[in-house]
Amino acid sequence: MHSHHLLLEEPIRMASILEPSKPSFFPAMTKIVGTLGPKSRSVETISSCLKAGMSVARFDFSWGDTEFHQETLENLRVAMKSTKKPCAILLDTVGPELQVVNKTERPISLEAETLVTLTSNQEQEATSNLLPINFSGLSKAVKTGDTIFIGQYLFTGSETTSVWLEVNEVKGEDVVCLIKNSATLSGSLFTLHVSQIRIDLPTLTDKDKEVISTWGLRNNIDFLSLSYTRRAEDVRQAREYLSKLGDLNQTQIFAKIENSEGLTHFDEILQEADGVILSRGNLGIDLPPEKVFLFQKQAVYKCNMAGKPAVITRVVDTMTDNFDAIILGAETLRGLYPVDTISTVGKICAESEKVFNQDLFFKKTVRHVGEPMSHMEAIASSAVRAAIKVKASVIICFTSSGRAARLIAKYRPTMPVISVVIPRLKTNQLRWTLTGSFEARQSLIVRGLFPMLADPRHPAESTSATNDTILKIALDHGKASGLVKPHDRVVVCQKVGDDSVVKIIELED
């Protein structure tokens, strides 16, 4: 039995592991979101990241000013032009993040079994026994015995750059804590996390709004990562804010789930958001680590069934079958090997995808959708079923909003989906504009979707000649990228007049 026909219930043959990996135009179906920062912001490095498989660039506003991020983005644009690789932009908000403020930036040594006081007076200097924080309500939120984590990286229990604290006493607005492990905090900013405690701060802060309305609007961001999403109302408020900012009404909102409150309201959040990011690092601090994988399994399943992208941080290879994208944070932001990291993660995903039980997933998804199916669900599932049956090399989907292509991706076909986005003309009575670029870029975070922006002179809904022209261009693109070759079968999903059509074509020499 060939490796791509293996069932997940079966042991993987050693031969399939020893088979050399085949080079591919698309490294994997799973997408990679790379965080650009100090170690990954030159044109040369970004170009290499794009070639290695990065399709979404994340700009994390927890650090750095807008000028720094703008320079990085300009370098990204140069890299995209030189490599001819498209890349979407994701703005990650700071949100209600609690931080220790170290204005002197001198290293702070903390010794186990000694006391340290957390104070809301940010004018005081950070020392080994006094840490100023940016939140005045901590003393009201915690009680004796609560656990507090401070650090820049994920705590492992053996490192010396992060520290666990136990609340020993609350004194007015100060919180006195017992240090549980010796550590040295270096730098100007450290995140503070209190396990399973509600922090009474807005999810979209004034600082976030300022960044979005200036940097975000100027650069037409494709995605907004809403940090510390706790309720559906957080997403609704963010969407209302974006709706007032010109073209940002098209920006998709991804709810970033980072604590137990977000888990409690997960179903309502998923219904409201365009996609979900599971922050496994923060969840591993807020929840007992042994419970994180249980939530993750359920959350990813719910995203899959809703047809909404599931994006995770801190990947392990056994999970790559079910989510759409992986976020690399510190690995590319400040890690020494950003390109190698992206390349390696892409290879891990590609190898895992070889043994993905697509038949089982397809049947499970169809069962979950139930009957009667909506018109679009029926067309999307039929296109995937046909592609599986005829062993098509690729599915080509014509779309204007991107929704049809995303529905096809929901059924997790084993072959790539070329999403041919047809621009639409719209007017606000003052000027005419073409839509399409947003929709094309936004598919770059969806597993298995690879966008192509069509000529706006060719309408999405027509009779035959114009669609045949675009189809030829799409097939030529597939041939040039090595996706299709002579005698391959291709499944095409398109609208002809008022009818949705799924057809199978066999390529000639």
Side-chain angles (χ1 to χ4, degrees):
M1 184 181 287
H2 295 300
S3 60
H4 60 278
H5 288 139
L6 284 171
L7 294 178
L8 291 181
E9 290 83 356
E10 296 176 347
I12 297 174
R13 295 181 306 114
M14 184 62 74
S16 71
I17 297 173
L18 297 176
E19 285 173 3
S21 301
K22 295 176 182 175
S24 168
F25 181 79
F26 301 122
M29 303 279 272
T30 307
K31 303 301 180 67
I32 297 176
V33 181
T35 305
L36 300 185
K39 301 293 184 182
S40 54
R41 66 190 303 255
S42 69
V43 173
E44 182 182 10
T45 301
I46 296 173
S47 297
S48 298
C49 288
L50 292 171
K51 290 175 185 174
M54 180 180 80
S55 62
V56 180
R58 172 176 174 255
F59 292 83
D60 184 0
F61 277 82
S62 294
W63 59 271
D65 56 28
T66 53
E67 289 77 14
F68 178 91
H69 289 300
Q70 190 64 41
E71 287 176 14
T72 306
L73 179 52
E74 296 304 333
N75 288 346
L76 169 64
R77 286 173 173 149
V78 173
M80 283 193 283
K81 192 171 183 180
S82 65
T83 61
K84 294 183 172 59
K85 298 278 188 183
C87 188
I89 301 169
L90 182 146
L91 188 161
D92 204 325
T93 64
V94 179
E97 184 172 86
L98 306 190
Q99 296 170 340
V100 174
V101 181
N102 178 18
K103 290 183 176 178
T104 66
E105 299 195 21
R106 285 195 291 267
I108 304 166
S109 295
L110 301 171
E111 190 176 333
E113 300 307 315
T114 64
L115 297 177
V116 63
T117 299
L118 306 180
T119 178
S120 60
N121 184 354
Q122 296 182 50
E123 298 305 313
Q124 298 207 49
E125 185 177 319
T127 66
S128 296
N129 49 35
L130 185 71
L131 297 177
I133 62 172
N134 66 343
F135 180 51
S136 60
L138 184 65
S139 60
K140 295 182 180 67
V142 300
K143 62 184 184 304
T144 301
D146 280 349
T147 299
I148 295 175
F149 164 80
I150 296 175
Q152 290 180 316
Y153 309 103
L154 181 67
F155 185 82
T156 63
S158 60
E159 62 182 48
T160 58
T161 58
S162 303
V163 66
W164 285 111
L165 307 176
E166 183 181 292
V167 176
N168 189 63
E169 182 185 3
V170 176
K171 281 185 171 180
E173 290 194 358
D174 291 349
V175 178
V176 182
C177 301
L178 178 68
I179 300 169
K180 304 298 285 185
N181 67 291
S182 297
T184 299
L185 303 178
S186 300
S188 60
L189 201 66
F190 319 102
T191 299
L192 182 147
H193 188 96
V194 188
S195 296
Q196 302 195 16
I197 294 294
R198 172 167 174 78
I199 301 303
D200 190 19
L201 287 171
T203 302
L204 198 63
T205 66
D206 289 342
K207 179 184 175 183
D208 292 329
K209 289 179 179 178
E210 182 185 352
V211 167
I212 294 167
S213 62
T214 54
W215 192 90
L217 181 59
R218 174 184 173 186
N219 296 297
N220 275 352
I221 56 169
D222 302 296
F223 304 104
L224 180 73
S225 169
L226 191 60
S227 293
Y228 295 95
T229 302
R230 295 165 287 184
R231 295 174 182 271
E233 185 60 26
D234 296 339
V235 182
R236 283 192 287 270
Q237 288 176 358
R239 200 177 301 283
E240 184 183 358
Y241 183 72
L242 291 178
S243 70
K244 300 170 183 173
L245 298 175
D247 286 343
L248 294 196
N249 62 0
Q250 300 177 73
T251 299
Q252 290 187 351
I253 298 174
F254 276 53
K256 196 173 183 185
I257 308 296
E258 310 196 50
N259 57 26
S260 54
E261 194 174 357
L263 310 192
T264 303
H265 303 105
F266 184 81
D267 288 349
E268 64 181 56
I269 291 170
L270 176 61
Q271 192 171 357
E272 198 67 40
D274 295 301
V276 168
I277 297 172
L278 302 178
S279 181
R280 285 158 36 84
N282 282 350
L283 284 171
I285 295 169
D286 209 52
L287 289 175
E290 64 273 14
K291 289 183 183 268
V292 174
F293 84 97
L294 291 172
F295 161 70
Q296 174 185 284
K297 189 177 181 70
Q298 183 69 357
V300 170
Y301 171 79
K302 288 182 175 185
C303 290
N304 289 166
M305 294 304 104
K308 293 188 177 182
V311 185
I312 70 158
T313 63
R314 307 187 187 277
V315 65
V316 295
D317 67 310
T318 53
M319 294 149 30
T320 58
D321 299 335
N322 296 318
F323 53 72
D324 292 72
I326 298 157
I327 285 183
L328 299 174
E331 301 95 329
T332 56
L333 173 74
R334 60 176 80 90
L336 295 178
Y337 306 101
V339 179
D340 291 337
T341 301
I342 290 170
S343 177
T344 301
V345 169
K347 288 174 184 174
I348 290 171
C349 293
E351 289 301 316
S352 181
E353 288 162 7
K354 284 183 184 178
V355 294
F356 173 44
N357 191 339
Q358 201 279 338
D359 289 339
L360 187 65
F361 185 95
F362 182 84
K363 290 172 184 173
K364 182 170 66 176
T365 308
V366 169
R367 266 199 317 271
H368 182 270
V369 172
E371 294 180 356
M373 278 186 171
S374 70
H375 179 79
M376 289 189 70
E377 286 271 6
I379 293 295
S381 59
S382 298
V384 175
R385 187 190 298 275
I388 295 167
K389 294 294 184 187
V390 303
K391 294 182 169 53
S393 58
V394 72
I395 298 172
I396 296 175
C397 175
F398 293 85
T399 181
S400 53
S401 67
R403 188 176 168 217
R406 287 195 300 272
L407 267 180
I408 290 173
K410 170 181 174 178
Y411 289 88
R412 291 289 191 268
T414 52
M415 65 290 296
V417 179
I418 296 179
S419 172
V420 183
V421 179
I422 315 290
R424 289 181 299 182
L425 199 60
K426 70 172 186 177
T427 179
N428 62 1
Q429 297 182 333
L430 294 176
R431 65 188 178 113
W432 293 92
T433 55
L434 279 171
T435 67
S437 54
F438 260 107
E439 291 82 356
R441 292 193 305 268
Q442 285 170 342
S443 65
L444 289 168
I445 206 167
V446 181
R447 181 192 187 274
L449 283 193
F450 300 94
M452 180 183 148
L453 194 58
D455 189 320
R457 290 169 295 183
H458 292 152
E461 300 172 16
S462 64
T463 50
S464 57
T466 51
N467 274 336
D468 287 345
T469 303
I470 307 173
L471 178 58
K472 183 180 184 305
I473 295 169
L475 288 172
D476 287 344
H477 174 67
K479 290 172 186 173
S481 58
L483 284 178
V484 293
K485 50 190 187 303
H487 305 296
D488 275 0
R489 288 171 177 170
V490 173
V491 168
V492 180
C493 184
Q494 65 186 123
K495 287 202 83 173
V496 178
D498 293 329
D499 300 320
S500 297
V501 176
V502 174
K503 64 182 181 182
I504 301 163
I505 58 175
E506 187 163 336
L507 302 183
E508 298 174 352
D509 290 336

